[in-house]
Structure formats: C-alpha cells, structure tokens
Amino acid sequence: DIQMTQAPSSVSASVGNKVTITCRASQGIGTWLAWYQQRPGQAPKLLIYAASTLQSGVSSRFSGSGSGTDFTLTISSLQPEDFATYYCQQANIFPWTFGQGTKVEIK
Amino acid sequence: EVQLLESGGGLVQPGGSLRLSCAASGFTFSSYAMSWVRQAPGKGLEWVSITDGNGDKTFYADSVKGRFTISRDNSKNTLYLHMNSLRAEDTAVYYCAKTNSLSEQLAINLDHWGQGALVTVSS
C-alpha cells in the first residue's frame, strides 16, 4: 500500500499568516492527490484535487502543488474558519490512503 | 444540491453484523462511483471501499477485505455497506462519499460527503 506522510502534525498560526502543509507519498502517484479540510464535528470537505485544481466554491487562498511523491497545500492568509484538520489522499492505486492529518490551531 | 444521508449505525457486539445505508439525492446516482470512509474516535480518516457506478467493480481496504461488502441499488439511489465479523477496531463514524467519476479507476477525489453514521462495536 502507498503510505502518505504529512508534516507537520500540527501547526499554530495567527489570522493572516501563511501556512504550508506537506504530504509525501511512499511511491510516485503522479498528480493523483486530493486535499480535504475537516472542521470539528463535521464531515471532510474537498479543497483541491489533481494536486493543484481548486474545487468549485473553495476560496482562492487555498492552493496546491506538486507531483510524483511530494505535494504542498498552502493557505495564503489564514482566516478564522480555516482552523481545522487537513488531510491529503492518494487516488493513484487501490487501496486509497490518507495522510495522518495536520491540525491547524490558533496561535 | 447533492445530499448523502447515512443510516443504520448503532451498537453491535463483537462478531456481529450491521448494514449501513446511504441515501443519495441531487445528482444522477448511477453515473458516479461511490465510496465509504471511516474515522475512529479522535483519529484520522481511513478509506474503506469503493464501487463503480454500475456496482460491478469493488475494492476494499485490507483491514476490511473479506468481512465488509459494498453494494448499491441504483433504482433506489442507495449505497450500502454490509459489515460482518465486526471487531472493536471497526468502531468509527462511517462516511458515504461521492466520487467525481463513473469509473472507480478514473475517480480522483471524494467531492461530496454525508454527515456520517456511528458504529460502535462493544460487548
């Protein structure tokens, strides 16, 4: 199975800060990668797919990049509603796998 | 508006069985592969299973293979997860999710999610 490793596991940041989360795959997955946001008590929400394509309706302060094994999710200017846990997920090979999550907390 | 509503969760004893349902609306259900994802209490997301739009092709996580079966009834716009030989480690919120493609091989994301159904396996 493909292992997805996110870093950091948690990050503290202030409103307006730029936040970068990385995701590394244990083998190449092309751009078959998605990013999700999960707020406490809520279902996950798709932010980015195909590594860099913004899902319809998602704020442009979210962006994704990368291919192969190394990927990045960037929040350009953190807003109060962005404090949540973020997950990457590979869709290249079954079984699909998620990263362990990165919790973005208020500083 | 896409809506996914899970039902059928509850408390079950180890070794028992349970069937989850996911009622879909707001889109052409038969045109999309569908998936189940679970989340144990306080833990991260774990992908469980996927089926194509016709229900002909299925894939499973190793942790549930041979115990869980995904199926769908396109006439009822409903996705199912049949869970047998349940273990304590199967305790989780189970989410139903829609993919972006008819074919599971071309699916690249889970673009809509239900609110989840809690399954607790305990004696």
Side-chain angles (χ1 to χ4, degrees):
Chain A
D1 299 359
I2 298 176
Q3 306 302 315
M4 306 299 291
T5 304
Q6 290 181 228
S9 295
S10 65
V11 57
S12 295
S14 300
V15 171
N17 284 173
K18 177 180 178 180
V19 171
T20 300
I21 300 169
T22 64
C23 177
R24 175 164 289 177
S26 60
Q27 64 187 74
I29 59 171
T31 57
W32 291 77
L33 184 103
W35 289 97
Y36 301 87
Q37 175 194 67
Q38 186 178 33
R39 297 183 178 124
Q42 295 187 16
K45 172 188 173 182
L46 175 66
L47 298 176
I48 300 236
Y49 63 94
S52 61
T53 303
L54 195 67
Q55 171 69 351
S56 176
V58 173
S59 170
S60 59
R61 64 180 179 274
F62 292 95
S63 63
S65 64
S67 67
T69 60
D70 293 305
F71 303 86
T72 300
L73 173 70
T74 300
I75 310 172
S76 60
S77 177
L78 205 61
Q79 297 301 300
E81 61 267 31
D82 301 336
F83 292 96
T85 301
Y86 294 83
Y87 296 92
C88 61
Q89 174 240 326
Q90 67 83 16
N92 182 238
I93 294 176
F94 293 116
W96 286 0
T97 44
F98 287 89
Q100 81 278 17
T102 295
K103 187 174 184 179
V104 177
E105 300 175 299
I106 301 173
K107 189 171 186 179
Chain B
E1 178 190 6
V2 172
Q3 292 194 354
L4 299 168
L5 184 61
E6 301 94 338
S7 61
L11 176 64
V12 60
Q13 292 189 337
S17 298
L18 207 59
R19 187 186 77 167
L20 299 181
S21 300
C22 172
S25 61
F27 64 103
T28 305
F29 182 68
S30 59
S31 294
Y32 294 93
M34 296 292 294
S35 188
W36 289 96
V37 176
R38 69 183 181 183
Q39 186 169 36
K43 302 298 184 182
L45 301 172
E46 180 187 14
W47 178 80
V48 173
S49 183
I50 192 169
T51 183
D52 72 333
N54 299 318
D56 296 331
K57 299 175 186 174
T58 59
F59 291 87
Y60 298 92
D62 292 343
S63 58
V64 307
K65 198 174 296 182
R67 300 188 300 122
F68 289 13
T69 302
I70 190 171
S71 64
R72 62 193 298 160
D73 185 337
N74 286 344
S75 68
K76 295 182 179 179
N77 289 347
T78 302
L79 179 73
Y80 301 101
L81 185 67
H82 306 257
M83 303 182 291
N84 296 323
S85 303
L86 282 161
R87 307 165 180 166
E89 54 265 35
D90 295 318
T91 294
V93 173
Y94 285 74
Y95 293 103
C96 161
K98 171 187 168 293
T99 76
N100 64 301
S101 171
L102 171 67
S103 165
E104 79 292 346
Q105 295 296 337
L106 298 177
I108 196 168
N109 64 51
L110 299 165
D111 58 16
H112 291 84
W113 297 62
Q115 282 305 302
L118 176 62
V119 173
T120 303
V121 183
S122 175
S123 55

